[in-house]
Amino acid sequence: MIVLYVILALVCLVLLPLFLNFHLILEYDGEARAFLRVLFIKLDLIKLSEKLANRAKKPKKQKKKRKKKSEPQPAEKRPDRKKKPSDILDFLKFAKKIAADAASRLLKRLRIRLAYLNITVATEQADKTALLFGAVCTALSSLDEVLRQFARYSADRDKINVGVDYLAEKTVAKAKLIFTIKPIFVIGAAFGVIVNLFNNKNKISNGKELKNERNTAQTNH
């Protein structure tokens, strides 16, 4: 029984992270910041990416290996397979369908919350400031409608302020956007996409076989 309890505990430890909420936090206050938060753990993604980039730039000591002389082998001739325009169109339609299916599956589970948004529109000229203010308001309203229609989107209305300052010369913006999802939903969406991938491949291959049979039958007649 003790061994069974240990195995169950290990399985729970492995599966537990899949059911936790992962929060991707994007902030802008004159400088862009990105964080990944899980429970009480918070990672600065920009600093982490910089560290990884610096490590990749460091030259690694490579041991000199003696190259063994090998006899030249004749290259194998592969038959040239030219893709038809119809094949390329079928592939593009197929890729578009798979991408749309993956996006729809993830958007159903992804939660988006706008924590705050403060924009003060300003330029050097008053007429440009007025035009830019109208464009910003239109873009924000359109984006709000799209997000509410296709995703689980929420926003704190009291913390959204868009204003205009005719005396300043530069637009100032502050924003915080939070994306929340559980890894189990990402795995489920990926599994569904793989299943659709195989199903659609079989349909496409069956359709091509039927076309080839029809063409051969017509030529024989």
Side-chain angles (χ1 to χ4, degrees):
M1 289 297 292
I2 296 173
V3 176
L4 181 60
Y5 290 146
V6 171
I7 294 171
L8 289 174
L10 291 174
V11 170
C12 290
L13 285 174
V14 172
L15 295 179
L16 181 62
L18 299 178
F19 295 91
L20 296 176
N21 285 325
F22 279 62
H23 306 277
L24 176 63
I25 304 168
L26 304 179
E27 295 181 359
Y28 181 81
D29 186 5
E31 184 180 354
R33 293 185 293 273
F35 303 96
L36 180 65
R37 183 169 63 84
V38 184
L39 295 177
F40 55 87
I41 302 170
K42 191 175 183 180
L43 297 175
D44 191 334
L45 297 179
I46 294 177
K47 289 183 179 179
L48 184 62
S49 62
E50 289 176 354
K51 287 181 180 179
L52 293 174
N54 291 331
R55 285 184 182 179
K57 287 179 182 178
K58 289 182 180 178
K60 295 180 179 179
K61 294 181 179 179
Q62 296 180 352
K63 294 181 180 179
K64 293 182 179 179
K65 295 181 179 180
R66 294 180 180 178
K67 295 182 179 179
K68 295 181 179 179
K69 294 181 179 180
S70 58
E71 295 180 358
Q73 297 178 355
E76 295 180 358
K77 293 183 179 180
R78 295 181 179 179
D80 296 332
R81 294 180 180 177
K82 293 182 179 180
K83 292 184 178 180
K84 298 178 181 179
S86 59
D87 295 336
I88 297 172
L89 289 174
D90 290 338
F91 175 75
L92 291 175
K93 289 178 183 178
F94 175 65
K96 182 181 177 182
K97 187 176 180 180
I98 293 297
D101 182 52
S104 63
R105 287 173 182 271
L106 286 177
L107 285 174
K108 288 177 182 177
R109 300 296 185 179
L110 180 67
R111 285 184 293 166
I112 305 172
R113 185 170 73 89
L114 182 61
Y116 61 81
L117 176 65
N118 297 316
I119 300 176
T120 303
V121 179
T123 60
E124 296 177 355
Q125 298 179 4
D127 54 348
K128 288 184 179 180
T129 301
L131 290 172
L132 182 59
F133 177 71
V136 169
C137 292
T138 304
L140 289 176
S141 62
S142 301
L143 183 62
D144 184 81
E145 289 179 4
V146 171
L147 288 174
R148 289 186 183 279
Q149 185 176 359
F150 294 102
R152 299 170 65 187
Y153 171 73
S154 63
D156 298 333
R157 294 292 180 182
D158 298 335
K159 296 182 180 179
I160 297 176
N161 299 307
V162 181
V164 61
D165 188 355
Y166 290 102
L167 300 177
E169 295 182 354
K170 190 178 180 181
T171 300
V172 179
K174 296 179 182 179
K176 183 177 181 180
L177 196 61
I178 303 171
F179 299 86
T180 304
I181 196 168
K182 293 179 180 179
I184 190 67
F185 295 141
V186 178
I187 294 171
F191 182 75
V193 168
I194 291 169
V195 171
N196 289 335
L197 185 67
F198 282 108
N199 291 336
N200 288 324
K201 271 190 174 181
N202 291 331
K203 288 180 181 178
I204 290 171
S205 61
N206 292 333
K208 286 181 178 179
E209 287 177 0
L210 288 172
K211 283 182 181 179
N212 292 330
E213 288 177 0
R214 288 174 184 174
N215 291 331
T216 51
Q218 287 177 359
T219 52
N220 291 330
H221 285 298

